[in-house]
Amino acid sequence: MKVLVIGSGAREHCIAWKLAQSPSVNKVYCAPGNGGTSDLGENINIKADDIESLSGFALKEKVELTVVGPEVPLVEGIVDQFKRKGLRVFGPAKELAKLESSKVFAKELMKEFNIPTADFKVFDSAQEAKKHIQNRRLPMVVKADGLAAGKGVIVCKTKEEAIRAVDIMMIDQVFGASGKKVIIEDCLEGRELSLLVFTDGKKIVPLAGSQDYKRAFDGGQGPNTGGMGAYSPVPFLSHEQFNKAVEVVFRPLLHGLGQKNKIYTGVLYAGLMLYEDKINVLEFNVRFGDPETQAILPRLKGDLPDIMNKVIDSELDKAELEWEKKSSVCVVLASGGYPGEYEKGKVISGLLEAEKEEDVFVFHAGTKMVEDSSGNSIFLTEGGRVLSVVALGQDISQAKEKAYRAAGKIYFEGMQYRKDIGGVVLSKAG
Ligand code: AMP
Ligand code: GLY
C-alpha cells in the first residue's frame, strides 16, 4: 500500500515512521515533509494546504491511504475533496473540523450535550463583551473564536487585562476574522492533559494519555510555543478517571453528533483540565497533537494503517490497541530565539549517535537533508522546532534520563531545549 502523510513537523515524521513499520506499507510519501521524512520515504513538494494539488498527486500515484497532520487542510475541507475523488483519507469532514476552528461551535455543542466545560458567554460586540467583563469574577479567560496559531487564548487576572484582550481580538483584529467573536469564560484550576481517541463516529478507541509542555522555558516560564516536550502515560490520571473522561467527554459528543446525522471519523483530541475528581474540557482538536504524538506512537504496539483503515471503513469495533508498558519522554530541540526570530541553515551533528541507544527515536521537524561537498547526506536546521528526541524507559524518570542523554549528543549552533520535561509530572506541566 502507498501512503501519503500531509504536513512537515515531527508529528508527521512520527506518523510516517509508524506507518512505514507496517508490512502492508511499501511506500511512504510526505507532503511537504522534512529532512527526516525524506530519509524515510519520498518528500513531495506540495504545501499542506494545497488541497487540489494533493488530491491530484494521490490520484496519479494511486495512494491508498492519506493521513492529514495539521488542522488547516482539515478545516479547509481536504477530507471532503479526497472523498469526492474516491480517495481514502483519515480525518474528519470540514463541517466537523469546526470543532477546532470555531471555539464557539465547540462550546455550544458541549453545552447542548452536557459535556463538562467552563461556564462561558459568546460576544460579537466589543462593547457588550466589555460590559460583561465588569460583572464577571476574576480570573477570567478571553478566547478568540477561530484559529489563532495557539495564541488566541488570554488568561486575565484583572478586568483591565480582559478589556485589553477584547481590544486585541475585536478592535485591533490581531487574529483577523478569528477574533470576530470572542468567548469569555471562567478560569479553571487543575492539571492539564491531552486525551486522544480514534473513532469511526460510534466506537471509541482511546490512545494513551499524555501531557505537553507549552511554554518555552523551564518551570513553565516564557512565551507559549507549539510545544517543547511531552510524556506518556499520565501518572496522575487513574484508570477510573481515564474511563470517566471517555464516558463524559467523547461518548456524549459523538452520540450527540450522530443524532444530528453528523459522523465524526478520525482522531479526536480533547485538552482536559483535571481538578480532584472533576474533568473539564478546555478544547477539542480534530487531529493528532504535536508533540504528544511523538510521545504516544512509539508506545503503540501493532499496526497503525490497519487501525486507520478500520476508522475509515467504520469497522473500529474489531480494533484493540495494545501499549508498551514502558513510559516515554519527548524533548523538543529548538533553534535559538524560538518562538521569536531564529536563524536557519545550521549543521546538525550527532543524530546517529543519539539514536544508537535502544528505544531512542529522533523525529525531525524543521530540518532539511542536503549533500555536503563530499556527497554525504547531512541535515541542516530549517525551522523553529527542529527535532523531537524521544526515549522509552521503565518509568518516566528513566525515559527522561535516556531522552536527555540522547539530546546531549546532538548539536547545532544556538540549540535550546527545556531541561525539565517529565520532571514535574505530579504538578501542572506548564
Ligand atoms: P485552548 O486553545 O482553549 O485549549 O486554550 C489554550 C490554553 O489556555 C490551554 O491549554 C490552557 O492552558 C489555557 N486555558 C484555556 N481555557 C482555560 C480555562 N477556562 N481556564 C484556565 N486555563 C484555560
Ligand atoms: N500540543 C498541542 C496541540 O497539538 O495542539
Side-chain angles (χ1 to χ4, degrees):
M1 165 168 55
K2 290 178 172 181
V3 300
L4 167 64
V5 178
I6 294 174
S8 58
R11 167 183 54 196
E12 286 77 13
H13 184 194
C14 181
I15 293 169
W17 166 82
K18 191 69 194 168
L19 290 170
Q21 286 172 7
S22 167
S24 66
V25 171
N26 52 24
K27 177 89 190 178
V28 181
Y29 296 107
C30 223
N34 56 40
T37 59
S38 67
D39 211 17
L40 180 93
E42 188 180 338
N43 280 358
I44 306 301
N45 190 15
I46 304 175
K47 289 209 177 90
D49 58 357
D50 184 354
I51 296 175
E52 196 58 41
S53 304
L54 289 168
S55 61
F57 172 81
L59 272 178
K60 184 165 120 299
E61 294 302 327
K62 300 193 170 52
V63 169
E64 286 158 275
L65 173 65
T66 297
V67 182
V68 189
E71 62 278 14
V72 170
L74 292 166
V75 167
E76 290 179 358
I78 192 167
V79 169
D80 312 60
Q81 162 91 344
F82 269 56
K83 286 193 173 160
R84 268 197 301 275
K85 298 204 170 179
L87 290 161
R88 292 173 68 76
V89 56
F90 177 85
K94 178 176 179 159
E95 92 171 325
L96 290 179
K98 253 182 108 176
L99 279 167
E100 178 162 355
S101 64
S102 168
K103 290 186 189 297
V104 172
F105 177 75
K107 290 289 286 192
E108 284 176 347
L109 282 180
M110 284 189 253
K111 192 168 162 189
E112 184 181 344
F113 303 151
N114 274 321
I115 297 168
T117 189
D119 194 27
F120 70 102
K121 250 180 139 49
V122 178
F123 298 90
D124 56 12
S125 137
Q127 207 185 351
E128 292 299 314
K130 288 180 190 174
K131 217 191 289 170
H132 178 74
I133 285 167
Q134 299 309 328
N135 307 318
R136 194 154 194 127
R137 77 183 146 82
L138 290 162
M140 70 182 91
V141 184
V142 181
K143 298 184 173 186
D145 176 34
L147 295 179
K151 299 193 180 90
V153 174
I154 305 181
V155 178
C156 308
K157 291 196 187 73
T158 65
K159 290 183 177 171
E160 292 68 35
E161 270 182 79
I163 285 170
R164 212 158 40 243
V166 167
D167 279 336
I168 289 170
M169 292 174 193
M170 302 188 90
I171 307 291
D172 305 341
Q173 297 178 10
V174 166
F175 309 119
S178 289
K180 267 192 161 167
K181 287 186 192 171
V182 300
I183 294 171
I184 301 182
E185 69 178 36
D186 289 346
C187 187
L188 298 170
E189 271 184 88
R191 295 189 286 209
E192 280 188 62
L193 64 112
S194 308
L195 195 55
L196 285 75
V197 301
F198 288 125
T199 179
D200 56 11
K202 291 196 189 84
K203 179 90 198 286
I204 298 168
V205 177
L207 283 80
S210 59
Q211 193 177 37
D212 75 340
Y213 292 68
K214 295 170 199 283
R215 301 282 180 162
F217 308 131
D218 289 5
Q221 302 297 309
N224 249 330
T225 70
M228 295 301 287
Y231 64 81
S232 172
V234 180
F236 62 78
L237 182 72
S238 69
H239 189 62
E240 289 70 34
Q241 284 169 318
F242 185 97
N243 291 336
K244 181 176 162 190
V246 172
E247 294 312 317
V248 304
V249 175
F250 295 100
R251 189 87 57 207
L253 178 68
L254 297 167
H255 177 75
L257 288 172
Q259 299 236 301
K260 294 175 189 274
N261 283 323
K262 295 184 198 301
I263 308 298
Y264 186 100
T265 66
V267 64
L268 182 58
Y269 163 143
L272 302 176
M273 186 74 97
L274 201 71
Y275 184 71
E276 293 170 353
D277 62 344
K278 286 202 274 302
I279 295 168
N280 273 288
V281 178
L282 295 171
E283 63 168 342
F284 284 112
N285 294 320
V286 296
R287 51 168 175 81
F288 287 98
D290 188 347
E292 288 94 327
T293 302
Q294 296 91 292
I296 293 172
L297 288 187
R299 298 187 55 233
L300 175 64
K301 291 190 197 168
D303 195 289
L304 185 62
D306 179 57
I307 185 135
M308 290 177 159
N309 276 320
K310 288 192 166 106
V311 167
I312 294 171
D313 295 328
S314 299
E315 287 180 349
L316 208 47
D317 49 335
K318 296 182 192 134
E320 284 293 326
L321 292 187
E322 274 191 67
W323 297 95
E324 285 275 2
K325 294 271 178 292
K326 293 173 184 169
S327 300
S328 66
V329 167
C330 163
V331 179
V332 171
L333 309 186
S335 296
Y338 173 79
E341 281 187 23
Y342 53 84
E343 288 177 19
K344 296 181 185 175
K346 309 290 181 196
V347 176
I348 306 170
S349 63
L351 288 167
L352 288 177
E353 286 86 324
E355 275 194 300
K356 259 191 192 144
E357 199 172 344
E358 202 191 341
D359 283 342
V360 173
F361 315 98
V362 179
F363 299 112
H364 293 223
T367 74
K368 185 164 84 171
M369 190 163 75
V370 296
E371 277 189 7
D372 68 8
S373 50
S374 340
N376 299 318
S377 294
I378 57 162
F379 293 95
L380 302 180
T381 65
E382 177 72 4
R385 288 190 294 172
V386 176
L387 299 163
S388 278
V389 179
V390 182
L392 300 181
Q394 292 312 323
D395 52 26
I396 288 188
S397 86
Q398 198 197 56
K400 177 184 181 201
E401 208 182 292
K402 270 170 83 172
Y404 279 107
R405 197 158 53 234
K409 294 183 183 152
I410 297 174
Y411 174 79
F412 51 87
E413 195 190 313
M415 178 170 104
Q416 56 156 342
Y417 57 92
R418 279 180 65 156
K419 309 293 185 299
D420 62 348
I421 308 298
V424 285
V425 295
L426 294 177
S427 65
K428 191 170 163 30

